[in-house]
Structures are given as C-alpha cells and as structure tokens.
Amino acid sequence: MPLVTIEGPANVSKECKKELIENVSKAVSDAYNIPIQAIDIVIHENQPDNIGVGGKQLSEKE
C-alpha cells in the first residue's frame, strides 16, 4: 500500500485538496498498476510562519 505525503500551504480549499487527492491517487494507481483503494494520501498543512525560503519566513514574503 503506497503512502503519499504532500506538504503544502494551510490556506487551500477543501475542494482543491479533494481534487489533489483524486488526481494523485489516480496517477499512483496508474504508475504502480494497483487499485486506487490501496493508496493512502496524507496532506500536511504548513503555516507560512513555519516555512523558510531564501533565509526568510514565507509569511514575510507575502
């Protein structure tokens, strides 16, 4: 059973996450030739204060 972990921003809509889970699940199912029901997806939402890019917090760059 593949487990896919996605790290992303915390301000994404439920609809966007639903679409992401569906698309990634299908891609993994096709790539591994396994049933889509065997794939687990976990989305970790990260606050901009907890992400650093170029030596600065992402919240400072917005």
Side-chain angles (χ1 to χ4, degrees), residues 13-37:
S13 70
K14 181 177 180 176
E15 293 79 19
C16 180
K17 288 185 271 189
K18 180 181 185 291
E19 184 176 342
L20 180 62
I21 289 170
E22 290 171 354
N23 291 339
V24 171
S25 295
K26 179 163 179 10
V28 173
S29 174
D30 292 346
Y32 283 111
N33 194 28
I34 59 174
I36 201 165
Q37 294 81 4

Side-chain angles (χ1 to χ4, degrees), residues 25-55:
S25 295
K26 179 163 179 10
V28 173
S29 174
D30 292 346
Y32 283 111
N33 194 28
I34 59 174
I36 201 165
Q37 294 81 4
I39 300 158
D40 293 333
I41 308 286
V42 176
I43 299 175
H44 290 165
E45 296 181 316
N46 299 300
Q47 297 297 324
D49 287 346
N50 298 338
I51 301 170
V53 177

